[in-house]
Amino acid sequence: QIYLSIHQYPTASSMLLVRTVANPLNVSKIVSDTVHGMDPDQPVDHFRTLEQARSNSLASPRLTALLLALFALLALVITATGIMGVLAFSVSQRFHEFGIRMALGAAPAAVLRMVVRQGMALVGIGLAIGLAGALAFARLLSGLLFGVRPTDPLTFAAVACVLSAVAAAACFLPARRATSADPMHALRSS
């Protein structure tokens, strides 16, 4: 602690920290009376507990983290919708092919695996490009991270796993539609 004279630094604010076992808000009247007993012209206001001061100091980083989490969730939903849309379009274009494959003896499970594998191959390429970009730009976000290195391998692995799981779920719905291709309809229309 450093003592600075209020006459030399008149714009400096002063703070009084009081440790108590009683309710801190009940002690505020005693502290105010004690300070006014020493100097009646001294303003005494703005009583806060340590928890309130800590909460106020963390409000901005907490809001930033909440907004980042919401935008990340929105990006995840948009990604899943995009993957599902692209794969659904691909399945609709190849519906005739799936019917012929099943007419030639392909099991619906094999068609499902084929469509999911093709979708996940594209997701794998996207993850590799995204990982490279994230490593390149990780230093820019280092000011927003608390207790985590910008290139934390566990975080990168967790994000890749979550994206892979969401992508697999997004690939599954159009792939399931591909297994409903009617072999007889495909043979009649060819």
Side-chain angles (χ1 to χ4, degrees), residues 101-102 105-113 179:
R101 283 180 184 270
M102 291 191 343
V111 172
L112 184 112
R113 277 193 306 273
T179 62

Side-chain angles (χ1 to χ4, degrees), residues 127-163:
L127 277 174
I129 293 170
L131 180 63
L135 287 171
F137 291 111
R139 299 286 177 221
L140 295 175
L141 294 177
S142 63
L144 298 174
L145 300 175
F146 300 101
V148 179
R149 292 189 333 257
T151 56
D152 182 42
L154 184 61
T155 303
F156 278 90
V159 169
C161 287
V162 167
L163 282 173

Side-chain angles (χ1 to χ4, degrees), residues 4-22:
L4 299 173
S5 170
I6 197 159
H7 298 293
Q8 290 175 326
Y9 299 96
T11 60
S13 65
S14 59
M15 241 188 281
L16 179 64
L17 299 174
V18 178
R19 183 181 204 173
T20 179
V21 291

Side-chain angles (χ1 to χ4, degrees), residues 79-145:
T79 299
T81 305
I83 290 169
M84 197 164 29
V86 167
L87 214 53
F89 179 73
S90 173
V91 164
S92 71
Q93 295 292 314
R94 298 172 58 196
F95 207 68
H96 183 72
E97 171 197 339
F98 298 135
I100 292 174
R101 283 180 184 270
M102 291 191 343
L104 292 174
V111 172
L112 184 112
R113 277 193 306 273
M114 179 184 70
V115 174
V116 169
R117 186 175 46 248
Q118 289 171 351
M120 290 305 289
L122 295 175
V123 169
I125 293 168
L127 277 174
I129 293 170
L131 180 63
L135 287 171
F137 291 111
R139 299 286 177 221
L140 295 175
L141 294 177
S142 63
L144 298 174
L145 300 175

Side-chain angles (χ1 to χ4, degrees), residues 58-72 144 146:
L58 294 176
S60 179
R62 188 178 296 126
L63 177 65
T64 302
L66 177 67
L67 287 174
L68 280 174
L70 288 175
F71 286 132
L144 298 174
F146 300 101

